[in-house]
Structure formats: structure tokens, C-alpha cells
Amino acid sequence: MLTGLAGWTGLAAADDIRLGVGRPVSAVRESFFLAVPEGTSTLALARLSVAADPASLQIRFPDAVVSVEGWRVRHPVTGPLERRGDAAVWRPDAFPVAAPPLVDLYLRSPLAVTTRVELTYLTTGLAWSARYTVQVRGDLAREEEAVALDLS
């Protein structure tokens, strides 16, 4: 699963992930089932790719009456300053590192329901390539002989 849901119960693993890999931007669509409680709730998306664009995020509940009331995006930075309770602790050995965006989705459902959720977003940093080998069986010089190609 390219995304993860923090603190959410009733989540099944992604059963369908589709990628449209391009340069420099790729599209990701994930589909999974989620148990949504009646009323309002917060769905916390964690472990998005650092390169994911939260502004491109679309969430859809194709089989239910669940609505997205809004969302909040946080961009944490990990580094030499850590928060421990109410105190800030300086760690001079740590270098600032970009962390994945954290997205809180605010949901509303008129009834408790287990439903399919589709997440779509853009990201960078994905690449794909393939190398194929074609093996010719048969004699290409003799037109009457059957020729077959094996692709591996």
C-alpha cells in the first residue's frame, strides 16, 4: 500500500493499486475497504510518499453516502529539534530531513458502513522500464515453414 491509515480500525489492505507512471509526475489510485462509523470521524493518511502532492488528493466513496467534509495537510520536518511532551530537545547530530505529508480527512456518514474507498493523487519519483528478449523459432528464410516468436 502506498499510503497508510494511522489510528483507523476496520481497514482492509489495498486490493487494487493502479499507477500511471510518467515523467516527472505519476498518478496513483488505490482502492480498499474501510469501516466508517456513523457521524463524523477523522481518517488520518500517513506514510504518503515524500514526493506525493497532497493538493492533488481526491477521495471517493463510490458505493456509499460517506462525504468528505474537508481535510488538513501537515508538512512535518524531522531534524535536530525534537518535541518531547511540552519540551523541545536539541539533537545536534540530526540533520533536517523532509518527512511525508500527513493528511487528516474529515468524514461524515449518516450510518455505520463498510465501503470501498478510492484515493487518487499525483507523485514524483516513480520510474518503470522493461527489457524484453525475443527468440525466433523456425527458419525465416523458408516462407513455407512456420515461425514463432517467444517473448521473455
Side-chain angles (χ1 to χ4, degrees):
M1 190 169 182
L2 294 175
T3 62
L5 302 172
W8 195 264
T9 59
L11 172 68
D15 63 357
D16 184 25
I17 298 176
R18 296 180 185 210
L19 301 172
V21 179
R23 290 191 178 142
V25 178
S26 299
V28 178
R29 193 197 94 198
E30 301 182 42
S31 177
F32 51 88
F33 285 92
L34 182 70
V36 179
E38 180 180 351
T40 59
S41 57
T42 302
L43 174 65
L45 298 175
R47 292 182 291 152
L48 281 172
S49 163
V50 171
D53 177 9
S56 69
L57 180 67
Q58 296 179 13
I59 184 166
R60 200 168 80 94
F61 295 89
D63 305 325
V65 292
V66 178
S67 62
V68 178
E69 300 292 310
W71 66 73
R72 175 179 71 157
V73 179
R74 295 174 279 148
H75 294 278
V77 175
T78 60
L81 194 59
E82 281 184 359
R83 183 175 181 168
R84 292 189 188 157
D86 292 333
V89 178
W90 178 260
R91 294 184 45 221
D93 59 327
F95 294 99
V97 177
L102 303 173
V103 180
D104 296 324
L105 299 170
Y106 305 113
L107 308 178
R108 179 179 303 280
S109 180
L111 54 116
V113 62
T114 297
T115 183
R116 177 174 294 282
V117 180
E118 293 177 354
L119 296 177
T120 306
Y121 55 93
L122 299 176
T123 188
T124 57
L126 297 179
W128 181 83
S129 66
R131 181 169 293 178
Y132 297 102
T133 302
V134 176
Q135 182 178 15
V136 178
R137 290 187 287 129
D139 187 352
L140 292 174
R142 299 177 52 171
E143 293 179 15
E144 66 276 355
E145 188 173 323
V147 176
L149 300 176
D150 292 330
L151 182 64
S152 61

